[in-house]
Amino acid sequence: MELYMTAEDEAFRDEVRAFLRENLNEDVIRRSNTGMHPPNEDDRRWWNRMLAEKGWAASHWPAEYGGTGWSHVQHHIFELECRLAGAPELRWQGLRLIGPVLYTFGSEAQKSRYLPPILKGEEMWAQGFSEPGAGSDLASLKTSAVIDGDDYIINGQKLWTTEGQYCEQGFFLVRTENSDRPQKGISMIIIDMKSPGVTVRQIPMINGEGSTCEVFLDNVRVPRENLIGEPGSAWVYAKFLLSNERTSSADIHKARADLERIRNIAAHELKDGKPLLGDAGFRRKLAALRIEVDALEWSVLRVMHEAPSRHPISACASVLKIRGSSLQQKLTELMVEALGQRSLRVYRRDEAYAQPDGNPLWPAYTPGVTADLMYLRSCTIYGGAMEVQKNIIAKLAFGF
Ligand SMILES: Cc1cc2nc3c(=O)[nH]c(=O)nc-3n(C[C@H](O)[C@H](O)[C@H](O)COP(=O)(O)OP(=O)(O)OC[C@H]3O[C@@H](n4cnc5c(N)ncnc54)[C@H](O)[C@@H]3O)c2cc1C
């Protein structure tokens, strides 16, 4: 594996940078830099369209479905440059989660109906796996799908559905048959989120936002052709999808951008009348995190490089998930530390989103920092709790 940039990679990076310079504007960058979960979808959809026009929206998909055929290093360069430039973060549920499931396991009709709108940012997707009684123990899910003529009738409740309020489509795990093995009899089905009987209710979060939802399914009628793959076999597809989710959870590009954000805050905030960035104690902490980010970046690249030759459900995805999520928490903790007293106001991004505050007490780097710190307490839970990942590693890597 070659991880160093070749002259070709350098030229590619210049091309990406030129594209970002030409197409991003200051308002979009300012809004993106307020952190995670924008209060509306406009920038993301617009950016998805821009990238689709360029042929770069789903860079990691196979070329026949609109991917680019880039090398792993080029993907990495692209995502990193987008983050560093302040491009809106694309919705990953469609591009990263269900897209690959559809082109790997879906029918031809599903591929041609659903992949193009994902690629162009025209349809956003919700992930309907977890339920009130089924999180870590996902196989105990109860939402049922019963055949009625050409349709399934679906009843149940999903929980923690990220940004479900914005979505046109959802991929849901449902029980189509009861079996003595709980993993058997679970199917994956596509539900149009505007179908009669679907109710989406936002859950107020500790940071004042409502980025996750409850989804109630009450006699929802769904065509049988919306079932993905074989009935009762979704455990295989779900594990494939969750492995991709966990690898993405390492979010190395966000980690790199966070390091820059911390540097920027510390360059402006003062300690004893001097920039905090010059303080030896603070610099030590920043350097320690930088080393952790470097180490994770190399690990992610190594796993990406080896992925085609490995079974996708490997302990590696869980290792990256554990390292990446705990690193995200450490980075936001140091960001809050750099912000000092200004972090005491939970300055939500929606307050700063429409226009800059202009108040010198709350510089442009303030909004979203404390809100993200609070939100990211949950990143060692979503995508599979930390303890459960450790169980997976123990089983797959050490055979316990
Ligand atoms: C912000 C956020 C966004 C989310 N987005 C989505 C989404 O879009 N779609 C979706 O389907 N789900 C989503 N989830 C749900 C997420 O996947 C679950 O929260 C997660 O799987 C844990 O399930 P649980 O919350 O039911 O906790 P539980 O399963 O009840 O676990 C509680 C605690 O018990 C411990 N525990 C459980 N089982 C074991 C075990 N076997 N060994 C050791 N310890 C154990 C874990 O440490 C865990 O923290 C989201 C969650 C959050 C917090």
Side-chain angles (χ1 to χ4, degrees):
M1 178 183 60
E2 179 58 80
L3 289 180
Y4 293 100
M5 290 221 290
T6 60
E8 200 182 50
D9 293 333
E10 303 258 7
F12 173 75
R13 187 177 61 185
D14 291 344
E15 186 191 350
V16 172
R17 283 184 178 169
F19 175 80
L20 294 168
R21 259 195 318 274
E22 258 167 48
N23 290 285
L24 289 171
N25 62 59
E26 266 179 37
D27 277 344
V28 169
I29 293 171
R30 178 180 57 76
R31 290 195 290 265
S32 298
N33 286 341
T34 62
M36 307 168 76
H37 304 123
N40 66 54
E41 291 278 280
D42 298 350
D43 287 348
R44 286 207 279 216
R45 288 189 190 233
W46 166 78
W47 186 237
N48 203 145
R49 277 198 308 277
M50 299 290 286
L51 290 179
E53 276 169 28
K54 178 82 178 158
W56 287 358
S59 59
H60 53 289
W61 288 9
E64 60 183 302
Y65 301 116
T68 53
W70 290 341
S71 70
H72 295 304
V73 173
Q74 286 176 323
H75 284 295
H76 181 58
I77 292 170
F78 174 69
E79 304 229 347
L80 183 58
E81 292 301 328
C82 285
R83 277 285 189 170
L84 293 176
E89 187 189 3
L90 300 186
R91 278 283 297 217
W92 46 273
Q93 285 87 345
L95 289 163
R96 298 257 161 207
L97 301 187
I98 195 63
V101 169
L102 286 173
Y103 63 65
T104 309
F105 304 106
S107 66
E108 288 310 313
Q110 287 167 349
K111 290 179 203 174
S112 53
R113 160 64 185 86
Y114 295 109
L115 292 178
I118 294 177
L119 200 67
K120 293 183 206 146
E122 291 167 354
E123 287 188 336
M124 299 293 155
W125 286 72
Q127 179 185 11
F129 283 17
S130 308
E131 298 184 0
S136 305
D137 183 14
L138 191 56
S140 63
L141 64 89
K142 298 237 169 350
T143 295
S144 68
V146 177
I147 290 177
D148 181 37
D150 289 339
D151 300 328
Y152 280 103
I153 305 291
I154 301 183
N155 280 287
Q157 186 198 337
K158 295 293 174 179
L159 191 60
W160 308 120
T161 313
T162 297
E163 294 178 331
Q165 71 270 33
Y166 299 129
C167 295
E168 282 85 10
Q169 305 289 343
F171 50 97
F172 286 76
L173 289 184
V174 294
R175 190 164 287 290
T176 43
E177 61 187 91
N178 287 313
S179 142
D180 44 358
R181 250 190 84 234
Q183 287 84 355
K184 211 166 157 260
I186 296 175
S187 300
M188 193 182 285
I189 197 160
I190 299 167
I191 301 183
D192 181 332
M193 297 294 281
K194 301 286 175 279
S195 307
V198 177
T199 308
V200 179
R201 197 183 292 161
Q202 279 175 266
I203 303 170
M205 306 281 276
I206 189 174
N207 62 3
E209 298 174 353
S211 55
T212 62
C213 300
E214 295 174 287
V215 178
F216 299 89
L217 303 163
D218 188 13
N219 285 318
V220 181
R221 189 169 278 278
V222 179
R224 282 170 72 173
E225 69 216 25
N226 281 21
L227 199 91
I228 299 171
E230 293 298 315
S233 304
W235 201 246
V236 175
Y237 317 143
K239 284 208 286 184
F240 169 88
L241 180 148
L242 287 171
S243 176
N244 286 339
E245 181 176 7
R246 284 166 195 158
T247 312
S248 303
S249 298
D251 214 342
I252 194 68
H253 312 104
K254 177 177 183 314
R256 279 252 170 264
D258 279 353
L259 281 176
E260 289 311 309
R261 242 175 129 188
I262 296 170
R263 285 179 67 85
N264 179 42
I265 295 172
H268 289 89
E269 292 295 317
L270 302 181
K271 183 181 178 194
D272 302 329
K274 293 186 194 138
L276 178 62
L277 197 55
D279 179 75
F282 186 84
R283 289 178 74 83
R284 256 196 301 279
K285 290 182 194 173
L286 189 57
L289 281 183
R290 164 86 202 269
I291 292 166
E292 284 197 52
V293 172
D294 282 352
L296 184 63
E297 182 175 14
W298 282 67
S299 303
V300 168
L301 281 168
R302 192 156 53 91
V303 170
M304 281 163 67
H305 179 79
E306 290 172 356
S309 58
R310 279 173 181 258
H311 195 271
I313 316 302
S314 73
C316 292
S318 295
V319 171
L320 296 180
K321 159 81 167 89
I322 290 178
R323 295 294 297 162
S325 51
S326 58
L327 193 49
Q328 283 194 49
Q329 292 179 343
K330 288 185 201 169
L331 285 160
T332 40
E333 277 160 22
L334 191 62
M335 210 180 292
V336 163
E337 186 181 323
L339 213 49
Q341 292 184 13
R342 293 189 218 277
S343 64
L344 291 174
R345 176 178 170 201
V346 183
Y347 194 156
R348 298 193 322 266
R349 76 203 85 251
D350 52 347
E351 294 177 67
Y353 207 73
Q355 50 191 313
D357 192 316
N359 181 337
L361 270 181
W362 310 110
Y365 50 75
T366 327
V369 172
T370 306
D372 281 357
L373 172 97
M374 290 177 165
Y375 175 81
L376 285 170
R377 299 318 300 163
S378 66
C379 78
T380 43
I381 299 173
Y382 59 68
M386 177 81 95
E387 293 74 10
V388 173
Q389 301 313 310
K390 289 184 179 170
N391 287 347
I392 292 172
I393 295 165
K395 194 170 163 204
L396 292 184
F398 304 115
F400 292 131

